[in-house]
């Protein structure tokens, strides 16, 4: 979703993945991070997960037109807490850090990279704010294999609104051989 932090920020709030190597799913919810705008690009590398910013030319509506091969990494990923300081809202979300041409936090997509093949990924997108009626509450997950070739995509329009001013959009994809997930 291509929007500024002032109007809408679409953020990654949790990642759950499972693999052939590990029997149990792993949950990353960023609750172990204290503070806003903390770099978490490599924070979960010990779990086999890195997060990077990618360009996010999100369409006005509809699924993200992801490339057939891996999008270029343009920067890191940070936490963001502004606007989410509530007992009922997510305490931390992940947003793309600013990169050339996108000066604001959250204006890019996120590439989730795994050190090993996984067979499912679930996450929740969080949208803080509105865009005066034209707000697209969708999430696109595009998955790539170890060679960087697109092997699948899922588009979610499920919108779970909150009276606290943020909406949640869950998305999941399951298939063998997932090594990268582009989240937009």
């Amino acid at each position: 979703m291509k929007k500024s932090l002032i109007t809408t920020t679409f953020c990654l709030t949790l990642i759950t993945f499972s693999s052939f190597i590990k029997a149990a799913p792993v949950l990353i919810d960023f609750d172990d991070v204290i503070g806003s705008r903390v770099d978490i690009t490599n924070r979960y590398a010990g779990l086999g997960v890195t997060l990077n910013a990618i360009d996010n030319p999100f369409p006005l509506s509809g699924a993200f037109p992801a490339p057939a091969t891996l999008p270029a990494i343009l920067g890191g990923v940070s936490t963001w807490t502004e606007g989410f300081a509530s007992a009922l809202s997510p305490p931390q979300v992940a947003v793309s850090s600013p990169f050339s041409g996108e000066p604001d936090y959250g204006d890019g997509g996120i590439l989730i990279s795994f050190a090993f093949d996984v067979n499912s990924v679930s996450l929740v997108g969080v949208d803080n704010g509105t865009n005066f009626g034209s707000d697209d509450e969708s999430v696109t997950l595009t998955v790539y294999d170890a060679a960087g070739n697109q092997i699948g995509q899922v588009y979610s329009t499920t919108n779970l609104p909150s009276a606290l001013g943020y909406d949640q959009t869950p998305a999941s994809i399951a298939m063998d051989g997932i090594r990268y997930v582009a989240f937009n």
Side-chain angles (χ1 to χ4, degrees), residues 77-133:
V77 172
S78 301
T79 57
W80 190 62
T81 58
E82 298 159 281
F84 292 100
S86 162
L88 300 176
S89 67
Q92 289 283 10
V93 294
V95 295
S96 60
S97 298
F99 53 85
S100 180
E102 297 296 342
D104 290 324
Y105 284 83
D107 278 356
I110 295 176
L111 182 67
I112 306 163
S113 302
F114 300 99
F116 43 83
D117 287 350
V118 300
N119 59 17
S120 68
V121 175
S122 297
L123 59 79
V124 178
V126 177
D127 185 9
N128 184 28
T130 65
N131 202 17
F132 304 108

Side-chain angles (χ1 to χ4, degrees), residues 41-56:
T41 303
N42 295 305
R43 186 177 189 94
Y44 305 102
L47 296 173
V49 180
T50 55
L51 307 166
N52 288 284
I54 55 175
D55 198 11
N56 187 20

Side-chain angles (χ1 to χ4, degrees), residues 16-56:
T16 304
F17 65 92
S18 59
S19 73
F20 297 116
I21 297 171
K22 299 181 188 217
V26 174
L27 172 67
I28 299 174
D29 60 10
F30 315 115
D31 284 349
D32 62 318
V33 183
I34 297 172
S36 191
R37 298 183 182 170
V38 175
D39 184 339
I40 58 169
T41 303
N42 295 305
R43 186 177 189 94
Y44 305 102
L47 296 173
V49 180
T50 55
L51 307 166
N52 288 284
I54 55 175
D55 198 11
N56 187 20

